[in-house]
Amino acid sequence: MRKRKRFTFTIFTIFVLTLLLTGKSQQAQSYYGYQTIGKHTFLFSLIWQGEPKIGFGYINRIYSGNTFNDLQIELRFPLRSIYRFSDYEAIAGIYKPLSYSRAFAGIGGHFRWESNMHGGQRVSKLSLAVTAIPSYVYAADINDGIYGTVGLRLTYAPVIFATSKSGGGKADWNFFPQHKFEGGLHFDMHIERTLGLAINGITSYYLNRKNTFLEKVKNWEIEGDFYFGTTYYLDRN
């Protein structure tokens, strides 16, 4: 079953890449989200992180000189417990392309707060994800056509601290118990300055401290997310 999931995800990623690269001939995308060409963007996300999740997010784009800064927030919930709101992940941070050019590099820094119930214990952890995305503009139609980028995503995300607590008991703390390295691909497109689409496919490697209550996650598992949404209030000046 696991091999079948990996095979399906790989085929889907190749299909999306082929679709995007056959489009017209783009500029800077968001780490969480996609190129919006707008100031306010509301988006939805479908995520696979060992289980299916759904997310809701917002991006505020601040233009500055020859580039811009994307201030981003997102909430993610596992589908199995979405109505209980007992398990969730909150993401907040900033993304910035370093230049406007056909080949460019984007950088990002995001805090990830994840909280889940495991056997009567609430386990929570705060990570800091630092990301670099060397990218290439594959389509840049300025006449309301397709605009998109393709890039290599590299992330280092150490867990700053983690807590484990039951009912009314005392919380256990771990500091820097886990280091996560992510690598993969990012694709996005924005259609006629209206609809944005993006896909991220990654695999991860973990380094765990010996004495930690965090679950030992298997290395090289496939993860990914798909974003879609529209732009509210274009700021083209």
Side-chain angles (χ1 to χ4, degrees):
M1 179 63 71
R2 182 169 295 171
K3 290 184 178 179
R4 183 179 300 175
K5 289 179 180 178
R6 290 185 178 180
F7 176 78
T8 302
F9 184 85
T10 301
I11 294 300
F12 179 68
T13 301
I14 294 173
F15 170 77
V16 172
L17 176 60
T18 303
L19 175 65
L20 296 183
L21 293 180
T22 55
K24 302 177 184 178
S25 205
Q26 191 185 148
Q27 210 152 14
Q29 87 287 353
S30 294
Y31 170 23
Y32 290 99
Y34 46 82
Q35 168 65 29
T36 64
I37 319 178
K39 181 166 179 57
H40 301 289
T41 299
F42 298 92
L43 51 86
F44 302 91
S45 52
L46 303 175
I47 305 110
W48 176 259
Q49 292 177 322
E51 64 176 329
K53 298 181 180 181
I54 188 169
F56 310 90
Y58 166 74
I59 299 174
N60 181 16
R61 176 159 294 181
I62 301 173
Y63 293 89
S64 175
N66 294 326
T67 182
F68 56 80
N69 300 300
D70 280 351
L71 305 180
Q72 308 168 342
I73 57 173
E74 183 180 352
L75 285 174
R76 296 178 169 187
F77 302 94
L79 287 181
R80 59 177 168 77
S81 60
I82 188 172
Y83 297 111
R84 298 197 302 270
F85 298 102
S86 59
D87 303 324
Y88 64 90
E89 181 181 7
I91 300 168
I94 185 171
Y95 165 83
K96 178 185 183 70
L98 298 180
S99 65
Y100 278 142
S101 59
R102 195 168 188 84
F104 68 96
I107 57 174
H110 295 77
F111 285 105
R112 302 171 178 173
W113 175 257
E114 189 173 356
S115 185
N116 299 285
M117 290 294 296
H118 290 293
Q121 296 282 121
R122 174 158 295 279
V123 178
S124 304
K125 61 182 181 181
L126 177 67
S127 303
L128 173 61
V130 180
T131 301
I133 311 181
S135 302
Y136 180 75
V137 176
Y138 68 81
D141 190 335
I142 62 175
N143 297 315
D144 293 334
I146 293 177
Y147 188 94
T149 62
V150 57
L152 176 66
R153 176 179 147 189
L154 304 169
T155 298
Y156 169 54
V159 175
I160 300 174
F161 68 83
T163 65
S164 177
K165 184 177 181 180
S166 61
K170 184 179 179 181
D172 293 326
W173 291 74
N174 282 173
F175 293 93
F176 291 96
Q178 187 179 78
H179 299 264
K180 183 180 182 183
F181 301 87
E182 302 171 358
L185 300 176
H186 172 97
F187 316 99
D188 68 49
M189 66 162 53
H190 197 263
I191 304 171
E192 296 186 349
R193 305 189 187 187
T194 302
L195 176 65
L197 305 170
I199 184 171
N200 295 284
I202 67 169
T203 186
S204 302
Y205 181 81
Y206 297 83
L207 290 177
N208 299 291
R209 209 175 74 189
K210 290 183 178 180
N211 299 321
T212 178
F213 50 74
L214 291 181
E215 180 183 359
K216 302 298 189 299
V217 185
K218 290 185 178 180
N219 291 322
W220 311 121
E221 293 291 285
I222 298 297
E223 300 178 19
D225 47 58
F226 171 69
Y227 286 91
F228 60 96
T230 187
T231 295
Y232 168 73
Y233 179 68
L234 297 177
D235 186 357
R236 300 173 181 170
N237 297 324

